[in-house]
Amino acid sequence: MPLFRLIRHGQSASNAGHVTDYPDTIPLTDLGHGQAALVASCFRRAPRLIVFSSFDRAVQTATPLCERFPEAPVAVWPVQEFTYLAPRRYMGTTRPERGEAVTAYWKRLDPRWHDGDGAESFVNFWDRVEAFMERAAGTWGPVVVFSHGQFLRGVLLRVLSGPLGAQEAMVRFRALRQAVSWPNAAMAVLALSPSMPLVGPVTAGHLPPEMLST
């Protein structure tokens, strides 16, 4: 049965409130590297496959596990973060400074809105979530996936709600992204049984309180 451990990347420079440029080059902080090491220590056996997005913070979070089990195959899948703001317009800004643009995007609630070069519409994002579910169903576990908060919430919504049109998915996702916390380096188990997909709770019990971050 396809069995997945879905893991959000460790604390990034953006999460910590630092100035960043392109979304795919945002690195982990020292805390994020520590969280990644703790994630790797949770595994006693090598996964059948280690998957991560192409974004630096996901690669860096996966690295300690890859080093712990060098015999485990690795793969880059399109499970990168949902980047709905055009990166060039927000270079050299912090997450709080992008807050007004984020609010405006979700207030618009237009799944086909494209903010500019390097941005992704919600339709494109939802297509990636569907593609992940289809690919995952054909992949034998255990598989570890290092991804991002919004993409993982998209997977969670897809599992809980089943197939949805983009407009309805966006309405539900807007609520879910605020209602469901997925801290840095937290994880959840996804089981794709023949009858229905099942997802467990988002847990961060492997992290001591002083290492929790969002």
Side-chain angles (χ1 to χ4, degrees):
M1 178 176 68
L3 185 67
F4 290 75
R5 189 79 65 90
L6 306 177
I7 304 173
R8 186 186 174 200
H9 62 79
Q11 186 194 58
S12 71
S14 177
N15 299 146
H18 300 164
V19 170
T20 59
D21 291 322
Y22 287 99
D24 57 329
T25 63
I26 297 172
L28 294 184
T29 62
D30 289 344
L31 175 59
H33 283 290
Q35 292 167 337
L38 284 177
V39 166
S41 71
C42 295
F43 291 83
R44 298 292 176 262
R45 296 181 181 178
R48 185 178 293 269
L49 177 66
I50 301 173
V51 172
F52 41 85
S53 88
S54 61
F55 283 22
D56 286 357
R57 55 196 184 275
V59 176
Q60 291 173 354
T61 307
T63 296
L65 184 62
C66 294
E67 292 175 344
R68 182 177 176 86
F69 300 108
E71 71 277 17
V74 301
V76 176
W77 287 10
V79 295
Q80 68 272 16
E81 186 59 293
F82 178 27
T83 302
Y84 50 84
L85 299 181
R88 285 186 181 275
R89 295 220 304 268
Y90 299 96
M91 291 179 63
T93 63
T94 65
R95 185 163 64 168
E97 289 169 344
R98 297 187 290 272
E100 185 175 338
V102 169
T103 299
Y105 174 85
W106 289 107
K107 185 177 181 179
R108 180 180 285 110
L109 209 62
D110 179 358
R112 299 192 179 279
W113 174 261
H114 184 254
D115 194 52
D117 290 345
E120 185 177 32
S121 71
F122 187 86
V123 168
N124 297 144
F125 165 70
W126 194 243
D127 285 346
R128 284 200 294 116
V129 171
E130 289 285 2
F132 169 80
M133 294 297 293
E134 182 176 352
R135 188 173 189 176
T139 305
W140 193 254
V143 178
V144 180
V145 179
F146 291 92
S147 185
H148 304 258
Q150 293 195 92
F151 187 85
L152 293 175
R153 288 184 182 90
V155 172
L156 180 61
L157 175 62
R158 175 60 178 78
V159 171
L160 295 176
S161 300
L164 295 170
Q167 184 65 62
E168 184 177 3
M170 190 174 191
V171 172
R172 295 192 186 192
F173 184 79
R174 183 175 64 174
L176 183 139
R177 64 188 290 273
Q178 296 178 320
V180 176
S181 175
W182 201 308
N184 294 122
M187 59 183 74
V189 173
L190 171 66
L192 299 177
S193 69
S195 56
M196 68 175 66
L198 301 170
V199 65
V202 178
T203 62
H206 52 290
L207 300 173
E210 66 272 16
M211 293 188 70
L212 288 173
S213 67
T214 57

